[in-house]
Amino acid sequence: MLTYTLRRLLTAVPTLIFISFVIFLLLELAPGDPLADQPLTIPAEVRERMRTAMGLDAPAHVRYWKWLVQFVWIEPQVILDGWLGTGLAAGEERILSWQFRAPVFDIIWQRIPQTLNVVGIAYLVGVGIALPIGIVSAYRQYSWFDQIGTFVSMVGFSVPTFFTGVLFIVIFSVKLGWFPSIYDTTLRVTDWSSFLRQVSQMIMPVAVLALYNAAQISRFMRSSMLDNLNQDYVRTARAKGMAEGTVVLVHVLRNSLIPVVTVIALGVPTIFAGAIITEQVFKVNGLGQLLITAIQANDLPMVQTLAFVFAGLIITFNLVADVIYGILDPRIRYD
Amino acid sequence: MPDGAAPVLAVSGLKTVFRTRGGEIHAVNDVGFRLRPGELLGVVGESGSGKSVTMMSLLGLLPSPPAEVRAGVVLFDGRDLLKLAPEELRGVRGGGIGFIFQDPMTSLNPVFTVGFQIMEPLRRHMGLDRRRAAARAAELLDLVGIPDARARLADFPHQFSGGMRQRVMIAIALACDPRVLIADEPTTALDVTIQAQILELVRDLRRKLGMAIIWITHDLGVIAGIADRVMVMYAGQVVEEAPVAAVFANPRHPYTRALLETIPHVRGQRAPRLKVIEGQPPILLAAPAACPFRARCAHAMPRCAAENPALRAAGTGHAVACHWDAPAGREARHG
Ligand SMILES: Nc1ncnc2c1ncn2[C@@H]1O[C@H](COP(=O)(O)OP(=O)(O)OP(=O)(O)O)[C@@H](O)[C@H]1O
Ligand SMILES: [Mg+2]
């Protein structure tokens, strides 16, 4: 297992480099001028100097190489410096956002908590309600519980989050006034009442995303349980005199979780990327919103870096899913 | 076996139906039999004749819905198993009555160790703690002829061959010293040499432990080798029941005779064409009101279409459900 993991990690390196190159090329080919937002009154030679200052005059391969070195060499050193108080990266030039005139990673670190608070918790809540729903729906197939569950997950799955999001805002903020419609990122939790305000502003975005995630995962859980409930080993467990609870929650569940846990692990990167729309709807200034505004502002270093971080997360969690699969299923041997 | 001993298991009037979309399937119709202590009762009959459904009905192991045990009395240990509360019935499953199933490849849970699966009934029925259960599990594996038993407790089912897995299944079924062992085609999925080994093992275990056995099979050759008595089933009914010698020497039901003719004679000069029984068993959309075999029977008479024959005595310990009076011996061919 360890050698397998190491080998997978090593093969991930060329994949990631290739992905970074493709991202760079795509952005290079995309139309748009990073200076388009600047006033038209700026004289041409000033514009040229600004381009030079941003490094835009260098040939493409030089710019790509510089970005790559900054990403894999300088930025990790900055992180180390932050942890250990060393000065490894002192004086090195970091990846700078054109839009904010600040290091890209400083801004990303600022935004991550918002995303994790809302989207990450929504994912956990989604998984937490999906598993029991899936189990009960399968065990009581075609019962009213299963029928309702099927209907709700069809809705949750097929209605896009920007629709449910707006619907929630109209009902719970505008009509009922229960929750704020805009997420206030400046809110600091210092005492009980600010904690309550934080919770109340998180409820709607978390609910919208959790509904969506739970719809998908509960369907997976249900069908996986159904597959296993008909297996011969279930009959064996019953013939041994095991209680129904043991049969379902030990024998069947353990087998059913194998594919579901994989799906859950594969879904983790979507916490960061897939929530772009929900963050827009509720004005949560997390990573998704950061990416959207960077695209609109032609902030190429930011877009490039974020896209690459997402790609890296996807590759990482693919590996995590495979490793978990190997741990859960004794029949799988990676070596 | 002494004929007078009180039976360990006495079944009478058992009726099981499946409620399906196409109507009710009457899979078991008024089946009754007695199993004496230490006796080996062979059950034969074509595919679909209701052998498995009968045995699973005894312990409530059929999925319900669609299965429904409509009527019958199953006396075991002075109690009617069909009337027991679920919790009490679970005490009998794997406790007083052990079950072995046909396919050893799928009957064990793939994600738990063999040790865990043998220890489960030990802890459930005998209340053993972990250490004592493990010790007993190792003894059991040793008993069923698995070398290096203690070390193999930690192995998973996929690390065993088919024959070894069936030995594990036997160990599980015998774990709590059952008084009755029900084996549903335990060797059908295994190749011939392994079949012979498993048969030898069961014969040996019966000598050592003295439990009564119900052995379901298609193979009359196997029956001849191990059974004390034989029960022949057709269309969910018992059509003939007799001591093993009587069945082979003096079969009374045309279906039993036909079954005997399908056995290839190894000692014959050149084995003639393998005989098959012409025709199909009936589809049991209603409990048969007439003899279910009459369409395939060479001795059918008008009475067979009017009245379903009941079991009647035909010699010592020999019963047959047929209107036709078969001549003695098995030479008289049907058709
Ligand atoms: N789940 C089910 N739903 C509907 N009908 C069923 C179901 N299981 C069994 N049956 C019916 O019960 C009848 C008896 O089946 P059973 O499995 O007892 O046969 P069998 O004698 O064990 O055959 P085999 O030798 O193939 O194992 C079959 O003809 C089938 O139509
Ligand atoms: Mg069967």
Side-chain angles (χ1 to χ4, degrees), chain A residues 41-62:
Chain A
T41 51
I42 295 178
E45 72 269 20
V46 178
R47 268 177 192 274
E48 267 327 299
R49 282 218 302 284
M50 287 170 77
R51 282 180 178 282
T52 317
M54 289 159 83
L56 272 173
D57 56 340
H61 65 271
V62 175

Side-chain angles (χ1 to χ4, degrees), chain B residues 18-19 22 33 50 63 113 118 133 156 187 203 212 242 259 266 276 283 309 316 323 325 327:
Chain B
F18 289 93
R19 293 150 159 262
F33 61 89
T113 61
I118 303 177
F156 289 93
T187 57
R203 231 176 294 183
L259 274 183
V266 181
V276 293
I283 295 164
T316 343
H323 295 309
D325 245 327

Side-chain angles (χ1 to χ4, degrees), chain A residues 27 30-38 50 54 56 96-101 107 111 280 288-304 306:
Chain A
L27 292 176
D33 177 1
L35 295 180
D37 284 351
Q38 306 299 327
M50 287 170 77
M54 289 159 83
L56 272 173
L96 287 183
S97 157
W98 292 344
Q99 176 193 11
F100 298 98
R101 326 256 152 194
I107 298 159
R111 300 298 185 91
Q280 287 290 99
Q289 209 209 31
L290 183 62
L291 180 62
I292 296 279
T293 52
I295 291 171
Q296 283 161 352
N298 269 310
D299 186 353
L300 294 189
M302 180 65 86
V303 177
Q304 160 107 18
L306 278 176

Side-chain angles (χ1 to χ4, degrees), chain A residues 196-238:
Chain A
L196 284 184
R197 267 190 298 150
Q198 174 67 16
V199 169
S200 94
Q201 70 175 350
M202 276 168 58
I203 284 179
M204 282 203 299
V206 166
V208 166
L209 276 171
L211 177 70
Y212 186 72
N213 291 325
Q216 263 181 311
I217 294 167
S218 69
R219 291 282 91 185
F220 263 111
M221 189 70 224
R222 177 180 180 273
S223 68
S224 182
M225 286 288 289
L226 284 177
D227 283 349
N228 280 287
L229 277 167
N230 291 322
Q231 298 291 317
D232 287 351
Y233 69 77
V234 180
R235 189 181 55 189
T236 305
R238 293 207 171 103

Side-chain angles (χ1 to χ4, degrees), chain A residues 67-232:
Chain A
W67 175 85
L68 194 64
V69 168
Q70 285 172 328
F71 192 101
V72 301
W73 184 242
I74 297 174
E75 293 296 344
Q77 291 181 346
V78 173
I79 295 176
L80 275 184
D81 290 348
W83 286 345
L84 309 173
T86 47
L88 297 172
E92 299 282 3
E93 190 185 341
R94 302 178 58 191
I95 307 174
L96 287 183
S97 157
W98 292 344
Q99 176 193 11
F100 298 98
R101 326 256 152 194
V104 161
F105 271 98
D106 290 356
I107 298 159
I108 292 179
W109 288 125
Q110 281 168 16
R111 300 298 185 91
I112 282 179
Q114 271 80 265
T115 291
L116 281 183
N117 267 348
V118 175
V119 194
I121 288 178
Y123 200 68
L124 289 181
V125 171
V127 170
I129 58 179
L131 297 187
I133 289 180
I135 293 169
V136 175
S137 298
Y139 188 65
R140 301 233 172 278
Q141 196 187 6
Y142 306 132
S143 65
W144 60 264
F145 183 94
D146 183 31
Q147 314 266 358
I148 292 175
T150 305
F151 177 75
V152 171
S153 43
M154 284 288 285
V155 172
F157 194 49
S158 49
V159 177
T161 51
F162 60 79
F163 183 82
T164 30
V166 172
L167 191 72
F168 273 41
I169 290 178
V170 169
I171 296 176
F172 296 109
S173 304
V174 180
K175 290 268 191 294
L176 298 172
W178 290 355
F179 310 117
S181 69
I182 292 182
Y183 189 93
D184 176 10
T185 32
T186 59
L187 184 70
R188 290 282 161 273
V189 177
T190 50
D191 54 6
W192 184 243
S193 81
S194 61
F195 174 76
L196 284 184
R197 267 190 298 150
Q198 174 67 16
V199 169
S200 94
Q201 70 175 350
M202 276 168 58
I203 284 179
M204 282 203 299
V206 166
V208 166
L209 276 171
L211 177 70
Y212 186 72
N213 291 325
Q216 263 181 311
I217 294 167
S218 69
R219 291 282 91 185
F220 263 111
M221 189 70 224
R222 177 180 180 273
S223 68
S224 182
M225 286 288 289
L226 284 177
D227 283 349
N228 280 287
L229 277 167
N230 291 322
Q231 298 291 317
D232 287 351

Side-chain angles (χ1 to χ4, degrees), chain A residues 238-251:
Chain A
R238 293 207 171 103
K240 287 196 289 191
M242 306 322 292
E244 254 334 84
T246 313
V247 173
V248 177
L249 294 179
V250 176
H251 286 264

